Amino acid sequence: MRLLIMGPPGAGKGTQAVELAKRLGGAHISTGDIFRANVEKETELGQAAKRFMDAGEYVPDEVTNAMVKDRLARDDARDAFILDGYPRTVDQVETLDKILSSLGNKLDGVISLVVNPEELIQRLLKRAETSGRADDTEAVIRHRQEVYTHETVPLLEIYGSRGLVIDVDGMGEADVVGRRIVDALPS
Ligand code: ADP
């Protein structure tokens, strides 16, 4: 199964994506994790991404698209994957369409975690106390939510018109949300 998981920053995409990838036996591909690992190792990609991430802005599409193209071409992503944090812009949707069609694949579904925005901000502020992430300050957290609303929410309409969106209530304990996702997956 080839899935996307979408939801605003703090919705718990990462936690759910890890569990789901285990269950489906596919690759978990988190663009945020890949960027953070590269920032830590001070690679060229990390250097290109860091200042955008720290400001709560999206990394430019050409950087992100090239990275995902390489990642999806690897063997472990051939039959099943869960993309977490990608695509986030209309340009990225178009690139993903091209990547998948060149590989002869298509998406099976887009899981959309539906959450309460104010509660999210509170969750993120709590995470900020321990995460050490440079983008976990209140101003940047609020900015990331705005960027998500402007740049990424429109993607739900695009995938909705393709009949791919699976809305899942994202409020509550992680294992409860995980169960809802599994129950909602296409068979
Ligand atoms: P969150 O969903 O909480 O914002 P992520 O770990 O998914 O956190 O992403 C962290 C940062 O990495 C984003 O704020 C952005 O700067 C960058 N990033 C991740 N995925 C993308 C993407 N698809 N396009 C552009 N930038 C991205």
Side-chain angles (χ1 to χ4, degrees):
M1 198 156 344
R2 299 180 185 89
L3 300 170
L4 309 184
I5 187 161
M6 289 183 54
K13 294 187 297 289
T15 308
Q16 297 303 334
V18 168
E19 287 308 310
L20 206 52
K22 272 191 219 151
R23 171 178 279 267
L24 301 175
H28 168 223
I29 303 175
S30 157
T31 43
D33 286 354
I34 298 173
F35 282 135
R36 273 187 292 279
N38 278 277
V39 168
E40 203 162 311
K41 285 188 244 149
E42 298 179 353
T43 66
E44 212 169 298
L45 178 64
Q47 278 163 12
K50 186 174 184 333
R51 67 194 163 96
F52 297 101
M53 297 175 73
D54 287 352
E57 300 287 348
Y58 288 168
V59 176
D61 284 336
E62 62 269 25
V63 175
T64 310
N65 285 334
M67 173 179 96
V68 173
K69 187 165 191 250
D70 282 354
R71 183 64 190 86
L72 281 174
R74 277 167 43 187
D75 274 355
D76 66 335
R78 204 201 318 267
D79 297 328
F81 60 73
I82 171 126
L83 262 173
D84 160 10
Y86 182 95
R88 291 197 208 213
T89 65
V90 173
D91 183 88
Q92 293 179 10
V93 171
E94 288 163 3
T95 299
L96 180 61
D97 286 343
K98 286 187 202 137
I99 296 172
L100 292 178
S101 80
S102 77
L103 295 168
N105 293 334
K106 61 176 187 49
L107 289 177
D108 297 298
V110 176
I111 297 160
S112 167
L113 290 178
V114 181
V115 287
N116 169 324
E118 220 11 75
E119 195 153 327
L120 280 193
I121 295 188
Q122 296 312 319
R123 255 199 228 174
L124 283 172
L125 288 172
K126 199 153 174 235
R127 183 173 87 183
E129 291 168 11
T130 54
S131 74
R133 274 175 56 167
D135 58 353
D136 269 351
T137 63
E138 180 159 4
V140 176
I141 286 169
R142 291 198 184 271
H143 185 60
R144 277 157 58 212
Q145 304 287 344
E146 281 164 22
V147 173
Y148 179 83
T149 303
H150 288 121
E151 301 274 335
T152 306
V153 168
L155 274 51
L156 288 170
E157 205 159 308
I158 299 177
Y159 286 120
S161 72
R162 300 183 191 177
L164 287 174
V165 174
I166 305 160
D167 281 323
V168 174
D169 176 3
M171 302 309 292
E173 297 294 323
D175 55 345
V176 175
V177 176
R179 169 53 48 199
R180 290 186 197 127
I181 293 176
V182 170
D183 288 345
L185 285 178
S187 46

